[in-house]
């Protein structure tokens, strides 16, 4: 536990956690992170580069490589890249959060996700536990706002939704508490980038 602690920011009281495989990371991740920092008035956002997403096929790209890719595109001192899930040997969000709550009892965490993730949030392991134990900030994603607002998670916890205009209060609220932001979006995704990369490799294979 003590070794893992050195890999997270300890001097902040409000930290957003953005989990994902980041395979590959892109400017869409940076965009929603900047949106979260501003709207939720967070002191830091930590990207939790996951060893693997339980809902997706295991990535062939190592955690170390994806961490380095993240660091290459992030130039904001208020964003930290972390492989703490790899060091804690956790792959489910609820499992990771339980350990982080013990390591950092003084920190007010906010779980961050794109609107596209809220649509499928009910498929996550212990998703109701997550909603009921950490405030959740949901950032705008292209074409996903309406579906996110009608998602199973949104409907179940509709009484605990915080207006986007009051998003800055999220870090200080007791869960369940969540807010769905609007605003400009960037139409980028890791899936699209991987698809383009695969297409490029096929085209170049004949050269």
């Amino acid at each position: 536990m003590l070794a893992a602690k050195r890999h997270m920011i300890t001097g902040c009281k409000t930290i957003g956690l953005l989990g994902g495989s980041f395979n590959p990371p892109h400017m869409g991740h940076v965009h929603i992170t900047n949106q979260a920092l501003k709207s939720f008035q967070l002191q830091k956002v930590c990207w939790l580069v996951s060893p693997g997403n339980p809902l997706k096929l295991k990535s062939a790209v190592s955690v170390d490589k994806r961490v380095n890719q993240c660091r290459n595109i992030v130039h904001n001192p208020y964003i930290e890249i972390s492989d703490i899930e790899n060091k804690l040997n956790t792959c489910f969000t609820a499992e990771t959060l339980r350990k982080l709550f013990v390591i950092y009892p003084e920190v007010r965490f906010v779980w961050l996700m794109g609107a596209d993730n809220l649509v499928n949030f009910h498929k996550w392991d212990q998703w109701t536990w997550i909603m009921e134990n950490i405030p959740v900030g949901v950032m705008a994603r292209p074409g996903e706002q309406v579906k996110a607002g009608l998602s199973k998670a949104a409907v179940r916890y509709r009484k605990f939704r915080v207006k986007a205009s009051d998003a800055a209060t999220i870090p200080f609220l007791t869960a369940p508490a969540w807010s769905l932001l609007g605003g400009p979006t960037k139409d980028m995704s890791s899936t699209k980038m991987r698809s383009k990369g695969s297409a490029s490799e096929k085209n170049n294979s004949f050269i």
Side-chain angles (χ1 to χ4, degrees):
M1 286 295 189
L2 292 178
K5 191 166 184 176
R6 290 195 291 269
H7 293 271
M8 290 280 288
I9 292 295
T10 57
C12 297
K13 294 301 181 183
T14 59
I15 297 178
L17 302 173
L18 182 66
S21 56
F22 297 96
N23 182 33
H26 51 73
M27 294 311 295
H29 292 129
V30 176
H31 175 75
I32 63 173
T33 300
N34 288 333
Q35 184 184 33
L37 280 165
K38 180 179 179 180
S39 297
F40 300 118
Q41 295 292 292
L42 299 167
Q43 291 175 284
K44 286 278 183 179
V45 168
C46 187
W47 288 11
L48 303 182
V49 183
S50 172
N53 186 329
L55 296 180
K56 297 179 181 179
L57 293 175
K58 185 176 181 180
S59 172
V61 183
S62 70
V63 174
D64 289 341
K65 184 173 182 178
R66 285 181 279 128
V67 165
N68 288 332
Q69 289 174 335
C70 290
R71 287 173 177 158
N72 286 337
I73 69 168
V74 170
H75 306 289
N76 185 336
Y78 299 104
I79 303 174
E80 177 169 327
I81 313 303
S82 174
D83 63 347
I84 195 170
E85 284 192 307
N86 195 42
K87 293 187 167 53
L88 292 176
N89 194 30
T90 60
C91 62
F92 292 102
T93 297
E95 185 181 17
T96 299
L97 290 176
R98 282 189 172 94
K99 292 190 176 182
L100 291 180
F101 292 164
V102 172
I103 299 171
Y104 303 100
E106 77 284 1
V107 174
R108 291 183 175 273
F109 288 113
V110 176
W111 185 257
L112 304 173
M113 67 172 74
D116 51 332
N117 278 321
L118 185 64
V119 174
N120 296 305
F121 192 48
H122 61 282
K123 297 178 182 179
W124 290 29
D125 182 65
Q126 300 180 62
W127 69 277
T128 56
W129 183 92
I130 298 171
M131 287 293 291
E132 293 168 13
N133 283 275
I134 185 172
V136 175
V138 186
M139 278 73 70
R141 291 288 289 146
E144 299 289 345
Q145 297 304 97
V146 174
K147 287 189 288 185
L150 297 174
S151 66
K152 186 172 182 177
V155 171
R156 178 163 181 159
Y157 292 98
R158 60 181 177 273
K159 293 181 180 179
F160 304 99
R161 182 172 178 176
V162 177
K163 294 179 181 179
S165 58
D166 295 325
T169 66
I170 281 287
F172 305 99
L173 298 178
T174 300
W178 65 282
S179 186
L180 174 60
L181 303 180
T185 62
K186 285 188 178 293
D187 191 9
M188 301 181 71
S189 74
S190 296
T191 301
K192 288 182 179 179
M193 291 181 70
R194 287 197 301 274
S195 296
K196 288 181 179 179
S198 297
S200 177
E201 288 175 5
K202 289 179 182 177
N203 291 335
N204 291 335
S205 65
F206 294 98
I207 297 175

